[in-house]
Amino acid sequence: MLAIIKTMLKEQIDSARLPQHIAIIMDGNGRWAKKQGLVRMYGHREGVQVVHRITEAAAELGIAYLTLYTFSTENWSRPQEEVDALMNLLVDTIAKETDTLMKNNVRLLTIGDFDRLPEQAKGKFTQCMQLTAGNTGLKLVIALSYSARWEITHAAKQIAIAVQQGALAVDDISEATVASFLHTADMPDPDLLIRTGGELRISNFLLYQAAYTEFYFTDKLWPEFMPDDLYTAIIAFQSRERRFGKTSEQIHR
């Protein structure tokens, strides 16, 4: 019966109106583990399995970009034992998943303060990004050591340097200029942002890019989030009217 429901949900999706870019705040790993009477890291390990399933589901649908908020700049302030365990989990996961990414024609990308990562993590991610660089399917974007305020501040500094060096005139700075200095410069803005875990905020994630993003919040904790939940979010997205500041009459002319 569950398989039938999932198939029915998938069939409700209009393939001609897919969100080009889906971003996800994967919240609830620790709370899920606590509910099971387990340590937090067990929840993070379970969350990795969900990443695998959701990535495959997005690739099968034909989604162009999937961005996952994996580790924020604020997460560095967590207990060192947890940070170290998370970094080791990232290294192990990317090593195991590279062959699957290649098989599914998925290209790996990252955004965030990459230089802050431990050398082993940087090495594994760099290797995987190089190996998958020629893949033409889904772009899987991992937000690592990322926060939107950090990104915007970094972009402002780079713009200031360009002006100082004479490569950019102040009067030529536009919204497009700012966007070109962000880590997402070569990506479309997210059409749909999903947050699991029941929280109703976006926690310093893609603040500039999410100006016209549709939000979808679910109480399900990340380890409970399955492909049918992704399908439900996309169906909800497709039911909305995206006006981008215009009126309904203008949209439907």
Side-chain angles (χ1 to χ4, degrees):
M1 178 61 73
L2 285 176
I4 293 173
I5 293 172
K6 290 180 182 180
T7 301
M8 290 174 62
L9 283 169
K10 190 174 182 181
E11 289 177 350
Q12 291 178 42
I13 295 173
D14 182 350
S15 60
R17 297 173 51 241
L18 287 172
Q20 187 178 13
H21 183 177
I22 297 176
I24 304 180
I25 300 174
M26 307 177 292
D27 191 18
N29 288 340
R31 283 179 285 157
W32 180 86
K34 187 176 180 180
K35 281 172 60 178
Q36 316 302 316
L38 303 166
V39 297
R40 289 176 59 84
M41 276 311 301
Y42 192 90
H44 293 309
R45 293 192 188 97
E46 191 65 25
V48 166
Q49 302 304 314
V50 179
V51 169
H52 178 99
R53 289 192 288 267
I54 296 303
T55 300
E56 286 197 334
E60 288 174 3
L61 286 172
I63 303 299
Y65 289 85
L66 176 65
T67 298
L68 303 178
Y69 201 7
T70 305
F71 191 89
S72 72
T73 54
E74 291 85 357
N75 288 155
W76 290 113
S77 63
R78 289 187 175 185
Q80 191 60 47
E81 181 181 358
E82 182 174 350
V83 171
D84 291 343
L86 282 168
M87 289 298 116
N88 289 333
L89 180 60
L90 285 171
V91 169
D92 291 344
T93 300
I94 208 65
K96 292 175 181 175
E97 291 293 325
T98 299
D99 287 344
T100 302
L101 296 178
M102 291 299 296
K103 183 182 74 173
N104 292 327
N105 195 29
V106 174
R107 182 180 180 185
L108 181 73
L109 301 168
T110 62
I111 57 173
D113 190 0
F114 195 69
D115 289 338
R116 195 171 176 182
L117 296 176
E119 289 301 319
Q120 188 180 21
K122 283 194 290 186
K124 287 293 183 184
F125 272 92
T126 298
Q127 182 182 41
C128 185
M129 286 189 286
Q130 289 172 344
L131 287 170
T132 62
N135 291 348
T136 57
L138 172 73
K139 278 75 172 176
L140 176 62
V141 186
I142 304 297
L144 284 172
S145 188
Y146 173 90
S147 77
R149 288 183 175 180
W150 170 86
E151 179 187 32
I152 293 168
T153 302
H154 181 265
K157 289 179 179 178
Q158 296 304 307
I159 292 171
I161 291 170
V163 170
Q164 190 177 50
Q165 294 177 344
L168 181 64
V170 171
D171 289 342
D172 291 335
I173 298 174
S174 64
E175 291 181 12
T177 306
V178 176
S180 73
F181 279 87
L182 298 175
H183 279 215
T184 55
D186 298 323
M187 308 174 197
D189 289 341
D191 300 296
L192 171 63
L193 188 151
I194 300 168
R195 178 167 188 153
T196 63
E199 303 292 354
L200 303 179
R201 55 177 177 268
I202 58 173
S203 297
N204 207 1
F205 185 45
L206 300 176
L207 296 180
Y208 191 92
Q209 299 87 336
Y212 281 100
T213 298
E214 297 292 330
F215 295 160
Y216 180 87
F217 299 101
T218 174
D219 289 334
K220 284 198 173 184
L221 303 175
W222 179 245
E224 300 167 341
F225 193 82
M226 297 297 159
D228 56 316
D229 298 304
L230 176 66
Y231 304 150
T232 300
I234 293 172
I235 291 166
F237 165 82
Q238 293 185 335
S239 72
R240 301 178 188 179
E241 182 181 72
R242 305 187 75 199
R243 295 191 297 272
F244 299 98
K246 297 181 180 180
T247 66
S248 293
E249 290 75 15
Q250 287 175 301
I251 295 295
H252 296 293
R253 279 178 185 171

